[in-house]
Amino acid sequence: MNVKQYDAIIIGAGFAGLYMLHKLRERGLSARVLEAADGVGGVWYWSRYPGAKCDSDSIYYSFTFSEELYKKWRWKDRYASQPEILQYLNFVADELNLRPDIQLKTRVTKAKFQEEAKQWEISTDQGEIFEAKYLISGVGCLSTTNIPPFEGSESFKGEQYHTGRWPHDKVDFTGKRVVVIGNGSSGVQTMQEVAKEAKEMTLLMRTPHYVAEARNHPLSKEEQEQAINNYKDIREAFFNTPGGIRLYTTGKSATAFSAKEQKEKLEHIWETGGLSLGSVFTDVSANKEANFVVSQFVRDKIDEIVEDRDTAQLLHPNYYITTKRLIIGTNFYEIFNEDHVHLVSLKDNPIERIVENGVQLKNGTVECDVIIYATGYEAMTGSLLKIDIEGRNGKTIQEKWEDGRNVKTYLGLMMESFPNLFMITGPQSPSVLTNMPAAIEQHVDWVDQCIEYLEEKGIQTIEAQKESELEWAKQCDDLANQTLYPYTNSWYTGANIDGEQRGFVIYVGGLNNYKAICDQVAANDYEGCTFEKLQSNVL
Ligand code: NA7
């Protein structure tokens, strides 16, 4: 078989894959991106559900590594919609002339480390074999969809869609009865649009979530120009703030304010919109009292907005706010005042099965013509675990991570037994707690510099040490244990799939602190790693 040889194979053509390719090519290495979809974009290629938007301000949802590139693009809205983000990523691919090195419609199925040659052998669903010194995963944190195994879904006579795998053509809901399962970001955004068309819309809700007001709006020419002129400040925010984005904060604990002042601050955020409910006070995610101030504010808002008392009560979230990703929506709670929008809590009335005319719950069937699964993703680890990755001595990633129950990485970037395999925004990095392009740029830059180091020194492999992984996992857990995150079952812990709590898979210490740690590791000649030169010359 014709084996294709590259310095690096990159999996995925989203933000991570595109930037990684650009960096490696600049370094003069041969690299190829393998992407399953028939276009670039990663999660933004697939998530085409109605109303799909990012929840970072779009002026921060861009690459900042090139001032020229940043300044060439103008975002239309405060929160960019999926089509606009997809357009942006296509613009990036063209501007940087990346397409010749991106191979679409090609899914990586297997990657095996070859001990002798000290390189990766990568197989695809197209029957091709690639060999490369470096294997870099840009598969993203949220790309393998979670469709809960409801019995009977094949018997349903109507239409069924998952928000993360939406058809390319518009789905028309006019005159239809639609059931939505799931009310995370995707469900909330979808419902706001579907409610405008559907004859009836019913949300089947397992857990009520906090939905802050987005206040999305078209950006004026002045706002666009202001973003361009603020380029340096935006880039600065990428790496010097916890979330890689400037959010509103008082810089003080909630306890520094009277109840009246707290309310004023929160009202200000509600009116100006966005994710700042989580950052307004410094201790929202760490202190139960501060957290209650903010969570009760949202519950009071729900009571103000939703007219039916029982519905308002059902919509009250009761976990610590921010311990699941805060959602932003546009008049989301208001839609429950419309006669054709219904809410069913699954708490005491769970889904039993899908039947031919709808969804059968414990207490009866909700009849419908369309079911929308807004049930999220096998977050953080799912996409890597789907690939058959085999490291040293036949050890698979599934074995190493015990099928996701015990994730072990060093900095979320590398793993013992998997030499020269780098993960961009992998588990145990700050990833989804940040503005993703910021986390991606930081990771790609770090990997690129690491590769420069290896190439300059003639090193064949780099590999995390077991002890460094243990220390890193402990650091992630210790930090998480100082916060309220572990109190909540969420996809931050993998508990959304089977309810089973796993290790905490996100570094919660902030992108700024994380970057400082990664930079220190590099400055100390990649401490915590082992190296090999060819002929097994261990350094
Ligand atoms: P999320 O945030 O994981 O939300 C998934 C939703 O689906 C959530 O409401 C879940 O309820 C619900 N769900 C999942 N499984 C079931 C079953 N079996 N029965 C009923 N309901 C279920 O995914 P999203 O796609 O909305 O958002 C992911 C990220 O993408 C988001 O943070 C943005 O960054 C973009 P639960 O809360 O688990 O009880």
Side-chain angles (χ1 to χ4, degrees):
M1 173 172 292
N2 181 12
V3 176
K4 295 169 189 144
Q5 200 77 38
Y6 286 90
D7 293 318
I9 288 290
I10 301 164
I11 313 175
F15 271 93
L18 295 182
Y19 183 39
M20 193 77 246
L21 174 62
H22 173 64
K23 288 302 273 189
L24 294 182
R25 278 200 334 196
E26 272 194 327
R27 193 159 289 299
L29 298 187
S30 63
R32 191 151 189 85
V33 171
L34 304 178
E35 164 61 57
D38 69 358
V40 302
V43 70
W44 294 109
Y45 174 90
W46 298 106
S47 286
R48 295 164 186 256
Y49 60 84
K53 280 182 193 56
C54 75
D55 48 14
S56 293
D57 280 80
S58 51
I59 58 171
Y60 288 90
Y61 206 74
S62 312
F63 286 120
T64 62
F65 63 85
S66 156
E67 184 167 356
E68 191 194 343
L69 187 72
Y70 186 88
K71 293 189 167 178
K72 266 195 179 171
W73 183 261
R74 301 286 184 279
W75 290 106
K76 291 196 204 88
D77 292 326
R78 176 177 179 187
Y79 296 102
S81 62
Q82 177 272 335
E84 198 185 0
I85 301 170
L86 193 57
Q87 239 179 349
Y88 170 73
L89 289 168
N90 276 285
F91 153 82
V92 170
D94 290 332
E95 283 292 312
L96 303 177
N97 188 28
L98 299 174
R99 296 192 194 275
D101 295 311
I102 300 174
Q103 182 170 327
L104 301 172
K105 296 192 211 169
T106 305
R107 183 176 291 280
V108 171
T109 51
K110 190 173 166 64
K112 185 173 169 20
F113 184 69
Q114 299 171 319
E115 296 277 357
E116 289 277 294
K118 304 206 182 307
Q119 62 181 4
W120 285 91
E121 182 190 80
I122 297 120
S123 317
T124 74
D125 64 353
Q126 302 302 308
E128 293 160 300
I129 305 275
F130 295 85
E131 284 175 350
K133 178 173 176 184
Y134 303 106
L135 176 60
I136 302 163
S137 159
V139 296
C141 307
L142 301 167
S143 49
T144 298
T145 49
N146 165 41
I147 303 187
F150 296 123
E151 253 180 69
S153 53
E154 67 297 334
S155 66
F156 182 60
K157 291 268 170 23
E159 304 156 57
Q160 305 187 69
Y161 304 101
H162 190 287
T163 46
R165 286 290 178 276
W166 202 263
H168 287 208
D169 297 328
K170 181 181 159 30
V171 179
D172 187 4
F173 298 103
T174 315
K176 293 181 184 157
R177 298 162 304 166
V178 181
V179 155
V180 180
I181 305 176
N183 50 307
S185 286
S186 307
V188 164
Q189 293 180 346
T190 306
M191 280 184 273
Q192 290 162 181
E193 296 306 311
V194 172
K196 292 178 190 162
E197 275 182 11
K199 185 170 144 209
E200 302 285 333
M201 187 182 80
T202 306
L203 165 62
L204 304 183
M205 178 182 71
R206 193 162 71 172
T207 313
H209 294 304
Y210 297 93
V211 184
E213 266 302 317
R215 309 282 174 213
N216 194 19
H217 58 82
L219 292 176
S220 64
K221 275 242 159 351
E222 291 71 44
E223 285 171 311
Q224 288 175 337
E225 288 317 307
Q226 202 183 359
I228 298 305
N229 294 333
N230 278 349
Y231 163 77
K232 285 205 164 54
D233 183 64
I234 288 170
R235 176 138 179 93
E236 160 95 7
F238 259 39
F239 306 121
N240 293 295
T241 61
I245 185 168
R246 284 203 202 290
L247 295 172
Y248 173 78
T249 179
T250 58
K252 292 181 184 159
S253 155
T255 55
F257 301 97
S258 68
K260 183 167 169 281
E261 287 166 336
Q262 289 169 343
K263 178 117 195 303
E264 279 166 9
K265 309 276 174 224
L266 293 165
E267 283 290 356
H268 169 73
I269 290 167
W270 193 265
E271 286 315 313
T272 47
L275 289 169
S276 302
L277 286 180
S279 59
V280 54
F281 307 122
T282 49
D283 46 1
V284 178
S285 299
N287 177 288
K288 289 183 183 171
E289 286 73 35
N291 196 280
F292 182 79
V293 169
V294 183
S295 65
Q296 189 55 39
F297 173 81
V298 179
R299 285 187 287 272
D300 290 345
K301 278 286 168 204
I302 296 171
D303 288 345
E304 263 174 44
I305 297 167
V306 178
E307 289 156 11
D308 180 71
R309 289 303 84 212
D310 293 341
T311 306
Q313 195 60 36
L314 285 179
L315 286 167
H316 275 190
N318 62 8
Y319 57 87
Y320 294 112
I321 189 166
T322 70
T323 58
K324 290 193 184 209
R325 186 143 174 158
L326 187 59
I327 298 166
I328 53 173
T330 300
N331 297 333
F332 172 68
Y333 292 118
E334 279 82 348
I335 61 176
F336 292 94
N337 292 334
E338 295 178 32
D339 290 341
H340 71 299
V341 176
H342 317 286
L343 174 67
V344 176
S345 169
L346 297 174
K347 194 160 165 258
D348 303 312
N349 185 19
I351 297 173
E352 294 202 324
R353 54 183 291 119
I354 310 290
V355 289
E356 60 173 49
N357 61 342
V359 183
Q360 186 184 312
L361 309 177
K362 187 174 152 217
N363 298 338
T365 297
V366 181
E367 293 188 10
C368 61
D369 309 301
V370 183
I371 302 174
I372 298 176
Y373 299 92
T375 44
Y377 299 88
E378 290 182 29
M380 314 307 296
T381 54
S383 301
L384 272 174
L385 289 170
K386 281 261 166 353
I387 306 172
D388 189 3
I389 302 179
E390 195 178 307
R392 280 195 202 284
N393 305 316
K395 187 175 198 172
T396 65
I397 192 167
Q398 292 78 5
E399 284 164 357
K400 182 170 176 81
W401 287 356
E402 296 172 32
D403 290 322
R405 283 186 298 280
N406 189 7
V407 170
K408 295 184 214 91
T409 76
Y410 183 36
L411 306 169
L413 277 160
M414 290 185 281
M415 288 177 286
E416 176 269 336
S417 285
F418 296 81
N420 293 359
L421 168 59
F422 296 101
M423 296 171 285
I424 307 301
T425 64
Q428 297 181 332
S429 77
S431 65
V432 292
L433 288 184
T434 67
N435 172 37
M436 288 306 279
I440 286 168
E441 279 200 25
Q442 185 268 333
H443 266 196
V444 169
D445 288 344
W446 191 91
V447 171
D448 174 56
Q449 278 154 23
C450 178
I451 288 176
E452 177 185 34
Y453 179 92
L454 302 177
E455 294 296 306
E456 274 182 10
K457 294 207 174 316
I459 296 170
Q460 193 64 12
T461 67
I462 183 170
E463 182 180 347
Q465 292 167 1
K466 254 197 175 128
E467 303 73 50
S468 342
E469 291 185 335
L470 291 174
E471 271 170 37
W472 185 246
K474 183 168 174 341
Q475 203 166 325
C476 288
D477 282 345
D478 287 351
L479 276 170
N481 287 331
Q482 293 166 31
T483 70
L484 301 170
Y485 287 105
Y487 288 96
T488 304
N489 271 356
S490 71
W491 49 262
Y492 296 171
T493 62
N496 62 322
I497 301 302
D498 52 14
E500 186 184 346
Q501 277 275 7
R502 297 159 188 207
F504 203 80
V505 288
I506 306 177
Y507 173 87
V508 301
L511 184 57
N512 46 349
N513 294 324
Y514 173 80
K515 180 176 187 300
I517 296 170
C518 293
D519 289 349
Q520 195 57 48
V521 166
N524 293 344
D525 291 312
Y526 300 90
E527 61 182 339
C529 300
T530 49
F531 304 94
E532 280 177 312
K533 285 198 166 176
L534 270 180
Q535 289 103 37
S536 300
N537 182 8
V538 179
L539 291 180

